[in-house]
């Protein structure tokens, strides 16, 4: 039997905020991240909810994240915003960037934001959904330490590099969100199997010689399999060009790990594009989206990407967020005593 | 033994131009498309070279394409350009759009172009490469008649919808180009096998009930398999949102076929984003690209996307373009007597 604690979104955010400020984060840094932690729990993405809090706190103490960082924003061209995240949490830097990006995109038709000296931004779809909530099509890219090898190669060159797209609905929320990594499965899935000493299915990871493996530990030393082979590598490369090359952030091959405490700040990057539908679609945008949604949802068992997360939001809004007892206990302990003394 | 005619790029363009104007295209419409046909032959993409010319000419006569079309350009916002292709060839409409898009992106940091009432734009990478040749990162999307079903569904909702990315090099040409469709293989591969009455490998196409098939004729009535399963569908959906919903073009579910002569103009769409690296990367763009290129190319057998096309360009520039005798003969016949009388 597993004990479960039922929480509201506000309670999750409050708990995360207390732990993060206790571990050394400024209030603005902690607030931006705590809100995202609570949103992940609300959507049932528990891997990026309170379960991640010990890592965030560890990264504040070991110096992977500077909790006192003040991101610096620069307007470099009429449609361009550049933010130096200053090795703080990505969430606060993105929040600052979006304050400029949203009005700019409405005015210019399209605008973009690049971030460097950044960090793991958590659930990428969370960020682009905020652009959609502002009536804009939001397209996001974020890079990560290298774990995918090119077709024909053995050494990892690119991270599992997700892209995300959020599309504005009529009700002030995202109509739907695509949020997908370039690998067959998330690296965290392989890490979990390695911890549990369970085999992984063939097709998830390769050994250091590029051969299939079912041993998660071997796979973690080797590389992750890109979704759809060379086309998955192509998607990861698109993301690397946008999030790292175009933003002047650190490439996945040079970035320190997102896990553990060594290597200092990863200094990875993000890139966001926000587009005003009215500037391009001749007022047909909503009609087209409705047609697209209908063509998918009238098919039994078919659904739009992100519909599971949307269903979880409805469920947790009605019945509260179930948090596993041991995860709640660890988060509560951090909130009481961040130094773990 | 197959006879081969060796041609220069200019000769291919001239032959295509003569056939297209003869079949009823205005000179500006014919010139833009003829240039792309020649570029495809130069890159060894013979499916989109002279072999496609009979289809283009047929589409001029049956009314799928209006050879007299004059695309209309509208500046809708400081960073936004919208072009009504007026059911002419996509190539001329894109050419007109790019004349505005390039200077705009340099000035704004980022700008975008949407096209509606458009047509099959051929090799998508060809277009974005022109943005890269202008010093910009070019990102392109184009939609197509529906042939991919959503995960869990059976009926096609999205086309094989490619995206393309071109990255500027230092020498005034694209450094590399990603150009990939959302399906495991191009639909034309299945069409070719159906004509040749050869089976297709399992994993390319599904029957109308969503079950795997090795019969190409059955697959053409069913749907194409998306690359990487639901993630390939996600990429196709990203493309549909950009190229059709955001541009106000016709959705893949409503578009008439790109092949054959029935159904009138497909009225599909394109969307292009052009980005000035200097506005976002703090002058680190070229350095990052060099690092990325090195990490891939120092691995034996690994290569950047688009490197096969680049190698073909070098080869055909040195030795001429080999065109299969029967394809050359058909093109030459069209150039002599477009009506086929």
């Amino acid at each position: 039997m597993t004990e479960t604690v039922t929480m509201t979104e506000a309670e999750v955010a409050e708990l995360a905020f207390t732990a993060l400020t206790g571990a050394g984060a400024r209030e603005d840094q902690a607030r931006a991240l705590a809100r995202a932690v609570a949103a992940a729990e609300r959507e049932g993405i528990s891997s990026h909810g309170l379960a991640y809090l010990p890592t965030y706190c560890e990264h504040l103490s070991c110096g992977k994240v500077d909790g006192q960082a003040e991101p610096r924003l620069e307007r470099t061209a009429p449609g361009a915003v550049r933010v130096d995240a200053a090795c703080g949490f990505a969430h606060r830097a993105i929040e600052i960037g979006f304050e400029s990006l949203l009005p700019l995109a409405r005015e210019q038709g399209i605008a973009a934001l690049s971030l460097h000296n950044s960090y793991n931004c958590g659930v990428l779809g969370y960020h682009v959904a905020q652009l959609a909530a502002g009536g804009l099509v939001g397209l996001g890219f974020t890079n990560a330490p290298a774990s995918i090898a090119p077709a024909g190669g053995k050494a990892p060159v690119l991270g599992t590099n997700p892209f995300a797209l959020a599309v504005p609905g009529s009700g002030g929320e995202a109509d739907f969100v695509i949020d997908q990594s370039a690998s067959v499965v998330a690296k965290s899935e392989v890490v979990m199997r390695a911890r549990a000493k369970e085999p992984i299915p063939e097709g998830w990871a390769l050994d250091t010689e590029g051969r299939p493996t079912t041993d998660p530990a071997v796979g973690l030393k080797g590389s992750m399999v890109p979704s759809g082979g060379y086309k998955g590598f192509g998607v990861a490369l698109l993301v690397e060009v946008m999030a790292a090359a175009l933003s002047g952030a650190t490439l996945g091959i040079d970035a320190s790990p997102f896990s553990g405490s060594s290597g200092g700040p990863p200094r990875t990057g993000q890139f966001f594009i926000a587009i005003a539908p009215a500037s391009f679609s001749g007022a047909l945008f909503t009609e087209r989206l409705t047609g697209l949604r209908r063509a998918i949802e009238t098919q039994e068992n078919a659904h739009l990407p992100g519909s599971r997360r949307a269903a979880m939001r409805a469920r947790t809004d009605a019945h509260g967020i179930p948090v596993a007892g041991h995860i709640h206990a660890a988060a509560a302990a951090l909130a009481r005593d961040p130094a773990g003394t």
Side-chain angles (χ1 to χ4, degrees), chain A residues 2 17 34 45 55 60 71 91-92 99 120 143 153 159 179 185 190 199 206 230 234 240 243 245 250 288 338:
Chain A
T2 312
F17 177 79
I45 313 169
T55 304
L60 284 165
H91 293 74
R92 175 62 181 146
E99 277 167 29
N120 184 349
N143 82 321
D179 180 359
V185 294
V190 182
L206 307 172
Y230 78 94
E240 191 78 1
T250 299
R288 293 293 185 263

Side-chain angles (χ1 to χ4, degrees), chain A residues 43-67:
Chain A
E43 293 200 321
I45 313 169
S46 49
S47 61
H48 286 76
L50 290 171
Y52 215 105
L53 206 52
T55 304
Y56 289 137
C57 291
E58 181 193 19
H59 287 183
L60 284 165
S61 12
C62 76
K64 269 196 185 283
V65 175
D66 176 4

Side-chain angles (χ1 to χ4, degrees), chain A residues 18-331:
Chain A
T18 307
L20 291 165
T21 49
R26 285 163 57 112
E27 293 202 353
D28 54 6
Q29 288 277 343
R31 194 170 297 115
L33 179 54
R35 206 177 280 144
V37 166
E41 290 287 1
R42 183 184 174 221
E43 293 200 321
I45 313 169
S46 49
S47 61
H48 286 76
L50 290 171
Y52 215 105
L53 206 52
T55 304
Y56 289 137
C57 291
E58 181 193 19
H59 287 183
L60 284 165
S61 12
C62 76
K64 269 196 185 283
V65 175
D66 176 4
Q68 296 300 309
E70 295 187 60
R72 286 176 294 275
L73 181 144
E74 203 185 343
R75 281 281 304 275
T76 52
V81 184
R82 183 165 202 249
V83 169
D84 179 347
C87 300
F89 287 117
H91 293 74
R92 175 62 181 146
I94 293 169
E95 184 177 65
I96 289 172
F98 277 11
E99 277 167 29
S100 291
L101 181 64
L102 277 131
L104 211 55
R106 286 188 199 114
E107 176 194 304
Q108 303 285 322
I110 183 168
L113 160 70
S114 70
L115 297 110
H116 62 288
N117 287 328
S118 192
Y119 173 78
N120 184 349
C121 72
V123 179
L124 185 60
Y126 167 78
H127 303 287
V128 290
Q130 291 174 47
L131 298 174
L136 302 164
V137 170
L139 187 52
F141 308 92
T142 185
N143 82 321
S147 61
I148 295 181
K154 296 168 189 173
V157 171
L158 303 173
T160 54
N161 290 8
F163 80 83
L165 173 81
V167 164
S170 44
E173 267 216 341
D175 187 66
F176 67 86
V177 178
I178 306 172
D179 180 359
Q180 59 185 54
S181 69
S183 49
V184 172
V185 294
K187 201 172 173 180
S188 56
E189 291 283 334
V190 182
V191 172
M192 284 194 329
R193 300 288 180 111
R195 279 193 197 135
K197 296 195 192 307
E198 283 168 11
I200 52 171
E202 200 163 301
W204 283 17
L206 307 172
D207 69 13
T208 53
E209 291 303 306
R211 294 170 305 209
T213 181
T214 57
D215 182 337
V218 169
L220 288 172
K221 282 184 202 128
S223 65
M224 299 292 294
V225 175
S227 170
Y230 78 94
K231 289 192 179 182
F233 187 81
V235 171
L237 184 57
L238 162 70
V239 172
E240 191 78 1
V241 167
M242 305 301 287
L246 200 44
S247 72
T250 299
L251 294 174
I253 39 173
D254 297 323
S256 68
F258 279 166
S259 55
S261 58
S262 69
R267 298 180 191 272
T268 46
Q270 284 87 29
F271 198 89
F272 293 97
I273 300 174
I275 309 173
S279 298
F280 295 97
S281 74
L284 289 168
F285 183 69
T286 305
E287 186 184 318
R288 293 293 185 263
L289 276 192
T290 305
L292 205 45
R293 174 181 278 281
R294 196 183 318 130
I296 295 171
E297 292 186 340
T298 50
Q299 296 191 50
E300 205 182 348
N301 299 324
H303 52 77
L304 277 162
S307 54
R308 201 165 45 99
R309 291 182 186 178
M312 277 303 291
R313 281 199 301 274
R315 190 193 302 180
T316 55
D317 286 356
H319 306 290
I321 296 165
V323 177
H326 69 284
I327 287 172
H328 179 268

